[in-house]
Amino acid sequence: MEVAVVGAGIIGVTTALAVKEAFPQIDVTIFADVFTPGTTGDGSAGLWGPYILKDTSEEDILRWSGRTHEWLQTFWTSKFASEAGVCLIPVTRLTSSVKKYPEPKWASNVYGIQELTSEQLRELNEEHKARYTGGWQFLTFTCEPAKMLPWLLKKFKSLGGKVVKRKVEHLDELFLEGYRIVINCSGLGAQKLANDSSVVPVRGQIIKVDAPWMFHTYIVDDDDGNYIIPNIDFVILGGTHQEGDYDTKVRETDSRFIYEGCCRMERSLRKSKVLTQWVGLRPGRQQVRLEVENPRIVNGLKCVIVHNYGHGGSGVTLSWGCALDVVEIVRKIQNNVFNSKL
């Protein structure tokens, strides 16, 4: 049995590893024309937290994100945490909306969540020159794809997984090469590979600065809000979420919005050195697509496509949970389509 995974972002690589770990006897190969450090995920801060998921069901979001949070905890308590880019970090989420800021649905996954008091909000409003109306504080993880992806690929290869740098033009071409299951984790590439016009880019621009004194994450949940997310080697300032925008060039107007907004929240950032600016296109969709297509016959053999894409800005947050669902789908395919127990 041979399985092909198309896509080498955080979704594709976690899926490939989960399948290989669950079924050591299956040959699993990752196909992609871009690998780390060139993927969209490599530029992201990797903060755990559901984001840009639109109509994806709350049940699915909670299941996938919860399993991923548990997975990140196993890294954090292991000797691999630093190498894999996993840190535990305090987070303050804020809003200026007149609407009530309810406790997040995923509150039970994070640690020590507390609603900000009126006095805490007053102090933050003075410090940030803002008009916050609500906020929550808690601890959760950052998982930096620029560190996690190399770690996962190394683990995948150590288990016998294969990696092929190649642009796949059509999923059917892999069936013609003998793969019986193709798992489509192509992100924005699903526009073509899955003929899915509902997949749209969500443009994100960020600034990376050298600010080793920053240990706290701030996120403003307003439409024009900024965020400050410390990583191991730098701090990420953001950001934008411009749907339908394919422009991957840094824009000066966005740079000013990000820098001035973040420096207003944390004045010491004006002393930081700007390391780089970056733009990536998140794969937005009305709902995450995680499902299997009906089997097809290719060269007289049953073949199956499994889709796992459209994770918006939540690739890291949903990655391992979605990968575990794919494992169960593969198990059912093997049992019900190929009639072979694993």
Side-chain angles (χ1 to χ4, degrees):
M1 169 65 67
E2 292 190 74
V3 173
V5 177
V6 180
I10 194 68
I11 296 297
V13 175
T14 51
T15 297
L17 177 60
V19 171
K20 187 61 182 173
E21 285 185 334
F23 312 116
Q25 70 275 38
I26 287 182
D27 290 328
V28 182
T29 303
I30 299 173
F31 289 89
D33 59 337
V34 177
F35 284 83
T36 184
T39 74
T40 298
D42 280 287
S44 70
L47 179 70
W48 184 96
Y51 179 58
I52 311 181
L53 289 168
K54 293 194 175 181
D55 294 336
T56 304
S57 78
E58 183 179 302
E59 179 184 356
D60 285 339
I61 292 172
L62 293 177
R63 184 176 74 258
W64 294 331
S65 62
R67 288 177 175 177
T68 302
H69 203 272
E70 292 172 0
W71 179 64
L72 294 178
Q73 180 175 307
T74 66
F75 278 96
W76 183 66
T77 57
S78 78
K79 62 181 181 181
F80 302 113
S82 180
E83 182 184 355
V86 176
C87 295
L88 187 67
I89 192 165
V91 178
T92 299
R93 296 186 75 110
L94 298 153
T95 185
S96 303
S97 173
V98 295
K99 297 179 181 178
K100 180 175 173 56
Y101 196 35
E103 182 178 84
K105 300 292 186 181
W106 37 261
S108 61
N109 292 124
V110 297
Y111 309 117
I113 189 166
Q114 291 185 338
E115 187 170 13
L116 295 181
T117 65
S118 57
E119 177 62 21
Q120 288 172 316
L121 286 171
R122 185 188 65 76
E123 291 176 358
L124 281 172
N125 279 326
E126 290 181 2
E127 183 179 338
H128 293 185
K129 295 181 172 57
R131 296 180 177 180
Y132 302 136
T133 56
W136 295 88
Q137 287 184 329
F138 52 89
L139 293 171
T140 190
F141 297 107
T142 50
C143 169
E144 302 173 32
K147 292 181 181 292
M148 178 60 85
L149 282 170
W151 192 94
L152 293 173
L153 284 168
K154 181 180 177 181
K155 177 68 177 295
F156 176 68
K157 292 175 183 177
S158 74
L159 297 176
K162 301 171 187 175
V163 171
V164 176
K165 184 173 172 54
R166 166 181 144 196
K167 185 175 180 62
V168 175
E169 299 289 349
H170 302 281
L171 297 179
D172 282 353
E173 71 190 53
L174 298 172
F175 293 138
L176 294 172
E177 294 173 20
Y179 293 92
R180 304 292 300 281
I181 299 175
V182 173
I183 305 173
N184 175 25
C185 303
S186 58
L188 198 58
Q191 286 178 328
K192 178 180 178 181
L193 288 178
N195 193 29
D196 188 347
S197 60
S198 70
V199 183
V200 297
V202 182
R203 182 180 179 274
Q205 180 171 321
I206 55 95
I207 301 174
K208 294 181 181 180
V209 300
D210 184 17
W213 58 88
M214 288 295 303
F215 295 100
H216 196 106
T217 289
Y218 290 99
I219 299 174
V220 181
D221 277 335
D222 301 340
D223 289 339
D224 58 349
N226 294 102
Y227 58 78
I228 302 169
I229 305 176
N231 276 186
I232 294 173
D233 300 317
F234 42 75
V235 176
I236 291 185
L237 313 182
T240 66
H241 52 278
Q242 296 148 333
E243 187 170 320
D245 193 330
Y246 286 87
D247 185 8
T248 57
K249 295 179 181 178
V250 172
R251 295 176 185 160
E252 182 58 32
T253 53
D254 289 333
S255 298
R256 286 197 300 270
F257 160 73
I258 293 167
Y259 186 76
E260 293 301 326
C262 291
C263 288
R264 187 188 70 250
M265 294 163 65
E266 179 55 59
R267 290 189 295 276
S268 69
L269 289 172
R270 293 196 183 276
K271 302 177 182 178
S272 65
K273 177 183 178 182
V274 174
L275 301 175
T276 187
Q277 300 189 63
W278 176 88
V279 176
L281 303 180
R282 311 175 185 98
R285 194 172 186 271
Q286 203 66 28
Q287 293 180 331
V288 173
R289 187 181 186 189
L290 204 169
E291 62 182 5
V292 59
E293 286 191 10
N294 290 329
R296 61 186 72 185
I297 304 298
V298 180
N299 285 345
L301 296 174
K302 286 183 179 180
C303 300
V304 182
I305 294 175
V306 180
H307 295 290
N308 184 17
Y309 65 84
H311 297 78
S314 299
V316 166
T317 300
L318 306 184
S319 59
W320 193 250
C322 288
L324 293 180
D325 270 19
V326 171
V327 166
E328 291 310 307
I329 288 172
V330 170
R331 194 185 309 278
K332 290 176 182 177
I333 292 170
Q334 188 72 4
N335 292 343
N336 301 331
V337 177
F338 301 143
N339 299 315
S340 174
K341 296 287 185 180
L342 286 177

